[in-house]
């Protein structure tokens, strides 16, 4: 299940990045209606990610509880570690995209 939650979470983040990049293009072109249309989709993706993140956290806690003497690094296999790192990178990319979008929003308002 852990791999499923990781890949699904990464997919949600990638979709949010894509939609945010579209919002940046549309705000530059004053296509505000398109931005508003994507708002519900983005909100649903955020809720989906938050839910999966919670499930992911629970799975990680279960793994650690199985072997309380081990660290998370020792409990995960290589693929899980890679996906966790990928998720961290994608979250950082989303943060950067959101900052860029926020600058345009401030300029417009």
């Amino acid at each position: 299940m852990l791999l499923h939650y990781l890949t699904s979470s990464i997919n949600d983040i990638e979709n949010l990045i894509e939609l945010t990049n579209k919002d940046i293009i549309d705000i530059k072109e004053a296509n505000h209606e398109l931005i508003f249309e994507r708002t519900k989709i983005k909100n649903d993706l955020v809720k989906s990610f938050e839910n999966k993140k919670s499930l992911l956290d629970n799975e990680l806690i279960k793994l650690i509880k199985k072997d309380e003497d081990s660290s998370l690094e020792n409990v995960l296999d290589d693929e899980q570690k890679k996906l966790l790192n990928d998720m961290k990178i994608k979250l950082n990319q989303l943060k950067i995209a959101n900052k860029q979008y926020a600058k345009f929003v401030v300029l417009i308002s």
Side-chain angles (χ1 to χ4, degrees):
M1 285 307 287
L2 184 62
L3 288 175
H4 170 73
Y5 296 144
L6 284 167
T7 54
S8 186
S9 295
I10 290 169
N11 187 46
D12 286 349
I13 298 166
E14 288 172 339
N15 288 330
L16 282 166
I17 292 168
E18 180 183 337
L19 291 172
T20 302
N21 287 333
K22 287 180 180 179
D23 286 349
I24 291 168
I25 292 167
D26 286 335
I27 202 166
K28 288 179 184 178
E29 297 174 357
N31 293 329
H32 303 297
E33 287 301 316
L34 293 173
I35 295 169
F36 295 134
E37 289 173 10
R38 282 192 289 270
T39 300
K40 182 181 178 346
I41 297 168
K42 288 173 69 175
N43 287 338
D44 290 346
L45 279 170
V46 169
K47 287 177 188 173
S48 173
F49 172 75
E50 288 172 344
N51 183 46
K52 290 170 190 166
K53 173 71 171 67
S54 178
L55 294 169
L56 178 60
D57 289 344
N58 290 336
E59 288 295 317
L60 291 172
I61 289 169
K62 286 180 192 175
L63 283 175
I64 292 173
K65 283 186 177 181
K66 283 183 183 177
D67 190 0
E68 293 183 16
D69 294 332
S70 291
S71 67
L72 185 60
E73 184 73 20
N74 295 331
V75 179
L76 299 177
D77 64 30
D78 289 339
E79 184 178 7
Q80 293 165 335
K81 289 177 194 175
K82 181 193 176 308
L83 287 172
L84 271 175
N85 188 55
D86 290 349
M87 189 167 94
K88 180 180 174 182
I89 290 168
K90 294 292 180 185
L91 282 169
N92 193 48
Q93 290 172 349
L94 179 60
K95 178 182 172 184
I96 291 167
N98 280 330
K99 278 185 176 182
Q100 186 179 8
Y101 177 68
K103 288 179 185 177
F104 286 107
V105 169
V106 169
L107 288 172
I108 299 295
S109 63

